[in-house]
Every structure is written in C-alpha cells, then in structure tokens.
Amino acid sequence: MAKNIHDCDLNWITDHPIKECTDLYEKKISSLTVTQKQNFEDKFKKILNHKVLGAVPADLAYLFKDYPTSTVLFTKLQINEKVDKANKDYTTKVSFGDPVLSVYENYEFILQQYKILSYMLEKKGKLEAEEKNMLSISKQRTQCLGDILDDLIDNPEKSVDRKFIIDKCYQ
C-alpha cells in the first residue's frame, strides 16, 4: 500500500501498487503551480536534448519523481527501448529460474511501468491523439511482456534471448 509519493518512486525496482501510485501522481501534479509545471517542462525538454541517449532514461526517472506525467513516463520507456535495441548483447538469456534474476526483474519492472502508464491514461478519460497513441503502445507492450513473462514463470526451466523480447514486443 502506497502511503506517499516515495512509495511510488520508479527509481526503485520494487512492486508499486498501480492504482494507489496513480492517485498519488495525480495529487502531486495537481499540487504544482503553473510556474513549477513550466520549470519541469523546461527540464524535460533539456533532458531530451542530451547527447548521450543512455543517460536520458535515468534523468527522466528522476524528473518523474517530481513531475509524474504520462508523457515523462512514456518518453522514458520509449528511450529505454531504443537503448535496449541498440545494445548488441541480444543473446542474454531471460529466465524466471535464473538465480540472479536481474534481467527478468528488469523486464518485470518495465511491464509494471507500462501498466502504470496505461492506468494513468485510462483514468484520464478523454485523450488527445498523442495520448491515445501512448495508450495503444502501452497496452501492446503490457500484453506482450505480460505473456512472455507469464510463460517464463509457468516454465521456470525455459529461457528466451533478450532479442526475442525486443523483436516481439518493441515494434
């Protein structure tokens, strides 16, 4: 149960209660002044102009803590995908039965973030065209990652290459 915004910090790979965190994100955004929102928007644009693509998701994750909007989260996830695709270590195995589990847990965390994003957008109701696109992509990623990770849980002896997840889910 999330009691405050720190319980919903997406800088930590942990289980985040989706509905409660979304409510806390909304409260956080609604408590910001127009000037604060503009300052965060300016920071967002500055981060996106960063030359080292791999550094952008971490910067966006920290921005999301203070400015938890669907656009910031979606952009962070999309850039993570670009970095994942650019990483040539496609043969890393993803397996629920892996004693280290770090690669599996990373994809589980990505799945959770897409679930949070979907819930944020669905809760909003009337969406602009860009938000509808974000929701569509988020639902596709949620379904695809969920299916693969569920299959790995059901078959702990099974593993897949990262390339399989990238090719199947990040279209």
Side-chain angles (χ1 to χ4, degrees):
M1 176 162 201
K3 295 182 174 119
N4 61 52
I5 198 76
H6 302 294
D7 294 334
C8 299
D9 184 349
L10 294 183
N11 290 307
W12 301 101
I13 297 179
T14 185
D15 192 29
H16 297 85
I18 294 168
K19 292 179 183 180
E20 292 162 350
C21 286
T22 301
D23 290 343
L24 288 171
Y25 298 150
E26 284 179 354
K27 286 178 188 172
K28 174 76 174 175
I29 290 296
S30 65
S31 72
L32 297 175
T33 66
V34 171
T35 304
Q36 288 173 315
K37 288 179 184 178
Q38 186 58 53
N39 288 338
F40 286 128
E41 280 295 319
D42 293 344
K43 277 186 184 179
F44 178 62
K45 289 174 186 164
K46 185 177 178 183
I47 290 169
L48 293 181
N49 288 327
H50 199 279
K51 302 294 181 224
V52 181
L53 190 61
V56 173
D59 292 343
L60 288 175
Y62 283 104
L63 176 64
F64 185 80
K65 199 165 87 173
D66 296 320
Y67 191 54
T69 68
S70 55
T71 302
V72 172
L73 181 55
F74 181 76
T75 304
K76 173 191 167 299
L77 289 165
Q78 290 296 290
I79 292 173
N80 271 340
E81 286 183 13
K82 285 182 184 176
V83 170
D84 218 10
K85 288 177 186 177
N87 184 343
K88 299 300 180 200
D89 187 20
Y90 286 140
T91 58
T92 301
K93 296 290 185 189
V94 180
S95 167
F96 181 73
D98 180 356
V100 178
L101 284 178
S102 62
V103 179
Y104 178 88
E105 285 179 348
N106 183 52
Y107 282 108
E108 191 174 48
F109 184 54
I110 291 167
L111 171 62
Q112 187 176 44
Q113 291 176 77
Y114 272 117
K115 286 179 178 180
I116 288 170
L117 177 61
S118 292
Y119 189 73
M120 288 171 78
L121 291 166
E122 287 171 344
K123 191 172 181 189
K124 186 174 179 182
K126 188 173 182 177
L127 301 175
E128 301 293 326
E130 184 178 340
E131 292 169 319
K132 287 178 183 176
N133 184 51
M134 289 176 7
L135 180 59
S136 173
I137 290 169
S138 182
K139 284 184 171 188
Q140 182 272 331
R141 302 301 194 269
T142 299
Q143 183 67 49
C144 185
L145 287 170
D147 289 349
I148 291 171
L149 297 179
D150 286 348
D151 184 46
L152 292 173
I153 287 173
D154 293 343
N155 302 290
E157 71 290 341
K158 184 177 181 179
S159 66
V160 296
D161 290 339
R162 279 183 54 250
K163 182 174 180 6
F164 176 77
I165 294 173
I166 292 166
D167 290 348
K168 186 168 177 136
C169 297
Y170 297 169
Q171 302 168 5

